[in-house]
């Protein structure tokens, strides 16, 4: 080959190679994500809303974290040793905060001691109560410096548990166990986690802007991060606007990802979108003690799937337990009351005879939260009571499920209907929502259901829809939150 032709051939080959490389622009790509609600605080120890925890998952890294398969692996920790009670973590020497400060074992010691302090009011503090001294500190009977968490040098952290905890390593990947820079925290003067400049990050992304008027949060790749989970994209832009339906925004490519109504999953797929879903919600009907035990039982026997399953939309299924798949995939129907129309009528008739005027009370209202798919189910249930028992019940919707969630414990309303979300796979944490402190899922279910005050009605999926231009979209936990560091955007 002549020198000129050889040079031309090499040049063309190089240009082709650069062109191919240029097609994969994921390192420079921006991901646009629509949040379901605006966050109030991004302090890992005090955050509780889904939108807050999703962002925290991406700007903080714990001693441990989860890989793309959901396996627990080292995060800030380079390695660790444990006998199940005593943990010794060795931190990466190159671990830094987003401002360039060294991240040390002291940052974890301060964070964990702050988390168990009663004045912090950490919503997930129960995850840490197996640490020796934590329960006493949280109950106010011991000083926080007695917690068995100690930074013995810059890169070594020792933690001692009072007893083995099968979920402890999982806990160390969650928000409550994220590090906190004590100096920065104190300089924030009560505003830590409330504004972009009052947040230090130590993970794949860092927060650079947080607009609260016309909401928007910008996460840029954290150049100080030297761990194993480097961001595959330049930035993630988070918005929360109701100017258009979410599915329309996804179709128009004005956003790349969003949580969608689970009943729209098939519609999303027909539009060429990809989806990821997990069953982590159970809807409950509660009846308070204004109704006699047998009256509650009669009403319960009249709310089986036979009554409302025809109106369950995509993403909803008749409940066969109090636990959705995120808690217990292999469910047991222990304690569930079976649908039995004839026995219900007999019990109801006996109980009505005991009431004043021998009639069902005329002023009963069922308060329910409607996510847009629920009213028909509620109507089916009260209609079935009316046609078969002559029990007339009014229905009234409420604006937020949070207004009803305490009914699991207090049952101030005569009747209520609302969703309960599993925030993790920890069964004991889910049971705390019912006011029960236990690890025995089967026994707890029996206890919860035995008095017919709490009735599981249906399960619901949490669904994320996203552009086909995105790959490696994985949820690394039962909460359904996405780790943006794995995502590759190719268009």
């Amino acid at each position: 080959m002549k020198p000129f032709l050889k040079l031309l051939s090499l040049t063309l080959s190089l240009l082709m190679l650069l062109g191919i490389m240029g097609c994969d622009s994921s390192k420079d790509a921006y991901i646009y994500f629509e949040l379901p609600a605006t966050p109030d605080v991004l302090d890992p120890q005090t955050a509780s809303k889904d939108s807050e925890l999703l962002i925290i998952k991406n700007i903080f890294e714990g001693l441990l974290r989860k890989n793309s398969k959901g396996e627990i692996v080292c995060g800030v920790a380079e390695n660790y040793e444990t006998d199940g009670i005593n943990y010794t973590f060795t931190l990466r020497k190159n671990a830094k905060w987003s401002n360039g400060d060294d991240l040390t074992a002291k940052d974890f010691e301060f964070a964990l001691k702050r988390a168990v302090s009663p004045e912090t009011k950490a919503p997930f503090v129960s995850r840490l109560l197996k640490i020796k001294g934590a329960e006493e500190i949280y109950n106010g009977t011991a000083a926080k410096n007695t917690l068995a968490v100690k930074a013995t040098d810059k890169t070594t952290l020792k933690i001692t548990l009072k007893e083995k905890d099968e979920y402890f390593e999982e806990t160390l990947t969650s928000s409550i166990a994220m590090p906190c820079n004590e100096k920065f925290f104190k300089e924030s003067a009560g505003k830590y986690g409330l504004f972009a400049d009052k947040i230090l990050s130590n993970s794949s992304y860092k927060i650079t802007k947080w607009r609260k008027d016309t909401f928007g949060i910008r996460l840029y790749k954290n150049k100080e991060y030297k761990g194993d989970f480097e961001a595959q994209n330049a930035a993630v832009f988070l918005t929360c606007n109701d100017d258009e339906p979410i599915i329309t925004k996804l179709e128009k490519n004005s956003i790349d990802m969003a949580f969608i109504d689970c009943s729209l999953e098939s519609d999303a797929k027909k539009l060429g979108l990809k989806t990821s879903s997990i069953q982590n919600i159970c809807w409950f009907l509660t009846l308070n003690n204004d109704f006699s035990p047998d009256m509650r039982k009669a009403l319960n026997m009249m709310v089986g799937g036979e009554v409302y399953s025809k109106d369950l939309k995509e993403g909803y299924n008749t409940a066969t337990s109090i636990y959705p798949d995120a808690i217990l995939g292999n469910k047991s129907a222990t304690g569930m009351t079976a649908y039995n129309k004839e026995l219900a009528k007999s019990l109801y008739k006996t109980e009505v005879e005991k009431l004043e005027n021998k009639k069902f009370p005329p002023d009963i209202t069922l308060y329910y939260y409607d996510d847009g798919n629920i009213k028909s189910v509620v109507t089916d249930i009260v209609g079935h009571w009316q046609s078969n028992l002559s029990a007339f019940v009014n229905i009234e919707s409420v604006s937020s499920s949070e207004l009803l969630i305490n009914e699991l414990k207090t049952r101030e309303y005569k009747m209520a209907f609302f969703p309960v979300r599993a925030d993790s796979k920890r069964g004991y944490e889910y049971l705390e929502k019912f006011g029960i402190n236990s690890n025995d899922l089967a026994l707890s279910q029996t206890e919860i259901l035995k008095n017919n005050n709490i009735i599981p009605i249906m399960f619901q999926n949490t669904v994320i829809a996203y552009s086909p231009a995105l790959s490696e979209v994985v949820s690394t936990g039962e909460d359904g939150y996405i780790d943006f560091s794995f995502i590759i955007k190719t268009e």
Side-chain angles (χ1 to χ4, degrees):
M1 183 179 291
K2 294 181 180 180
F4 173 75
L5 293 177
K6 183 180 291 186
L7 177 61
L8 179 61
S9 176
L10 287 172
T11 302
L12 289 172
S13 297
L14 180 60
L15 288 172
M16 287 176 66
L17 178 61
L18 289 174
I20 292 170
M21 292 174 65
C23 289
D24 180 9
S25 57
S26 67
K27 293 288 185 181
D28 300 317
Y30 291 176
I31 296 173
Y32 295 87
F33 189 97
E34 185 84 359
L35 286 169
T38 57
D40 296 320
V41 61
L42 296 176
D43 172 352
Q45 275 72 53
T46 63
S48 61
K49 292 168 60 175
D50 289 344
S51 55
E52 297 165 353
L53 298 174
L54 184 148
I55 296 170
I56 285 168
K57 185 185 190 80
N58 287 279
I59 63 175
F60 286 92
E61 181 176 73
L63 292 163
L64 305 177
R65 64 179 293 167
K66 291 185 179 180
N67 64 17
S68 60
K69 297 178 181 178
E71 300 165 336
I72 297 174
V73 296
C74 286
V76 177
E78 184 176 74
N79 57 67
Y80 68 101
E81 297 177 353
T82 182
D83 58 8
I85 295 292
N86 301 288
Y87 284 80
T88 300
F89 295 91
T90 302
L91 277 60
R92 289 187 282 106
K93 292 181 174 62
N94 62 356
K96 291 186 179 294
W97 289 102
S98 52
N99 65 352
D101 288 353
D102 288 343
L103 192 154
T104 71
K106 270 288 184 184
D107 295 320
F108 284 99
E109 179 182 342
F110 175 72
L112 293 172
K113 288 181 176 178
R114 174 176 174 249
V116 300
S117 299
E119 61 267 22
T120 302
K121 298 179 180 178
F124 298 110
V125 68
S126 63
R127 298 180 183 180
L128 300 174
L129 295 184
K130 291 290 181 68
I131 299 177
K132 190 175 181 180
E135 195 163 7
E136 292 79 3
I137 296 167
Y138 183 67
N139 291 332
T141 59
K144 66 180 179 181
N145 61 7
T146 62
L147 187 70
V149 176
K150 179 67 176 176
T152 58
D153 59 41
K154 187 176 179 180
T155 59
T156 306
L157 185 75
K158 293 182 179 292
I159 301 175
T160 303
L161 306 184
K162 63 180 179 181
E163 60 186 75
K164 289 187 177 181
D165 178 1
E166 63 176 309
Y167 296 111
F168 187 63
E169 291 177 15
E170 175 95 15
T171 292
L172 295 180
T173 72
S174 67
S175 59
I176 189 73
M178 295 301 105
C180 183
N181 183 306
E182 183 175 8
K183 180 175 180 290
F184 184 85
F185 174 80
K186 291 180 176 178
E187 288 175 349
S188 296
K191 296 181 180 179
Y192 179 68
L194 296 178
F195 303 93
D197 63 348
K198 303 300 180 186
I199 300 168
L200 276 187
S201 304
N202 75 306
S203 193
S204 313
Y205 292 95
K206 65 178 181 178
I207 187 166
T208 59
K209 182 175 287 189
W210 183 356
R211 293 195 319 269
K212 296 193 177 185
D213 46 359
T214 56
F215 176 78
I217 281 183
R218 294 183 182 182
L219 307 181
Y220 276 90
K221 184 175 179 178
N222 182 6
K223 295 182 180 179
E224 296 293 342
Y225 179 73
K226 307 299 180 184
D228 295 332
F229 297 86
E230 180 184 348
Q232 299 300 303
N233 300 279
V236 179
F237 289 178
L238 301 135
T239 54
C240 182
N241 300 301
D242 57 3
D243 51 339
E244 279 186 302
I246 294 294
I247 203 81
T248 302
K249 292 183 181 183
L250 287 163
E251 184 181 9
K252 292 167 58 176
N253 291 320
S254 56
I255 57 174
D256 295 308
M257 302 178 67
F259 288 98
I260 63 168
D261 186 318
C262 63
S263 68
L264 299 176
E265 185 169 9
S266 290
D267 292 341
K269 289 179 178 178
K270 289 176 183 176
L271 293 172
L273 299 168
K274 297 180 181 179
T275 64
S276 174
S277 65
I278 183 170
Q279 185 194 97
N280 61 349
I281 296 169
C282 186
W283 287 74
F284 292 92
L285 170 66
T286 58
L287 307 173
N288 77 3
N289 288 334
D290 284 6
F291 302 102
S292 68
D294 278 347
M295 179 64 81
R296 295 195 301 271
K297 188 173 183 179
L299 294 172
N300 190 354
M301 286 180 175
M302 281 286 190
V303 293
E306 295 86 342
V307 177
Y308 52 82
S309 60
K310 67 182 185 301
D311 281 324
L312 292 182
K313 296 186 180 180
E314 181 182 6
Y316 297 85
N317 301 97
T318 301
T320 55
S321 164
I322 69 171
Y323 305 109
D325 282 351
I327 298 292
L328 191 64
N330 185 19
K331 300 182 184 71
S332 168
T334 302
M336 294 284 288
T337 297
Y339 178 79
N340 190 324
K341 184 189 292 187
E342 296 310 313
L343 182 53
K345 286 181 176 181
S346 177
L347 280 175
Y348 178 80
K349 183 178 180 180
T350 300
E351 291 306 297
V352 165
E353 288 295 319
K354 300 175 184 178
L355 298 177
E356 185 178 357
N357 298 325
K358 301 186 185 306
K359 290 183 179 180
F360 189 77
D363 59 345
I364 303 298
T365 298
L366 191 163
Y367 293 91
Y368 70 100
Y369 170 68
D370 190 3
D371 67 354
N373 301 314
I374 302 305
K375 187 173 182 179
S376 59
V377 174
V378 174
T379 302
D380 286 341
I381 292 172
V382 298
H384 201 62
W385 286 338
Q386 178 178 324
S387 61
N388 288 278
L389 304 176
S390 295
F392 292 84
V393 173
N394 303 307
I395 63 172
E396 185 174 328
S397 65
V398 299
S399 59
S400 169
S401 61
E402 296 301 316
L403 298 173
L404 299 175
I405 193 71
N406 283 336
E407 291 300 295
L408 292 176
K409 299 176 184 177
T410 63
R411 288 184 284 283
E412 294 178 1
Y413 294 101
K414 291 181 173 68
M415 293 183 177
F417 189 68
F418 53 90
V420 178
R421 178 190 171 99
D423 300 306
S424 72
K425 68 180 179 182
R426 301 169 181 83
Y428 72 85
E429 190 170 272
Y430 184 75
L431 289 171
E432 287 173 0
K433 299 174 187 288
F434 299 82
I436 291 180
N437 182 16
S438 173
N439 281 314
D440 190 325
L441 301 191
L443 183 63
S444 296
Q445 175 162 292
T446 300
E447 183 67 23
I448 287 168
L449 299 179
K450 70 179 183 180
N451 294 319
N452 294 289
N453 290 116
I454 298 175
I455 306 167
I457 301 296
M458 59 192 184
F459 297 126
Q460 180 186 345
N461 296 340
T462 291
V463 179
I464 289 180
Y466 56 97
S467 164
L470 304 184
S471 59
E472 305 304 318
V473 176
V474 293
S475 169
T476 57
E478 290 67 27
D479 47 32
Y481 306 142
I482 295 295
D483 188 329
F484 294 121
S485 68
F486 300 122
I487 297 177
I488 296 173
K489 187 174 181 179
T490 54
E491 292 180 11

